[in-house]
Amino acid sequence: MASKEIPGIIGIGSSVGRKLVTNRDIAEKVAGYRNTARGRKPELLTRLENSVLKMLGPIGTDTRYWVDENQCTSDLALEAALEALEMAKK
């Protein structure tokens, strides 16, 4: 009787962007954009930052990783695939 091989997952991999971004970073970018785009006074910047931080608070994530200017999705996929292949060898 011949044995059958049952396919399965033997390795997994993951990858994240190189750029660490905090909620404060996002709040500053959004507030800065809204101020310059709408010609608002600089003193409104703090109020806008606080509003954005209040919106991001319930998400539960204080930091996240974004790709930098020199990374693209295929770079992340390659790193994750190589990690999965390495795990599969063991």
Side-chain angles (χ1 to χ4, degrees):
M1 179 170 178
S3 65
K4 289 185 178 180
E5 282 194 36
I6 300 174
I9 297 172
I10 57 173
I12 58 172
S14 64
S15 182
V16 296
R18 295 183 192 117
K19 186 175 179 181
L20 177 68
V21 179
T22 65
N23 287 349
R24 170 74 53 197
D25 296 332
I26 294 171
E28 288 172 1
K29 283 183 187 263
V30 169
Y33 170 76
R34 289 191 63 170
N35 267 2
T36 56
R38 297 184 179 174
R40 293 187 174 162
K41 298 176 184 176
E43 57 268 13
L44 291 177
L45 189 62
T46 304
R47 271 184 45 204
L48 283 169
E49 281 181 28
N50 289 335
S51 295
V52 172
L53 285 171
K54 283 181 186 175
M55 287 186 279
L56 290 173
I59 294 173
T61 302
D62 294 326
T63 59
R64 70 242 341 116
Y65 290 91
W66 288 355
V67 294
D68 63 18
E69 295 79 27
N70 300 320
Q71 278 183 306
C72 57
T73 307
S74 59
D75 296 328
L76 299 177
L78 177 62
E79 289 173 18
L82 291 173
E83 185 178 314
L85 290 170
E86 190 63 36
M87 181 186 284
K89 287 181 187 178
K90 296 178 182 179

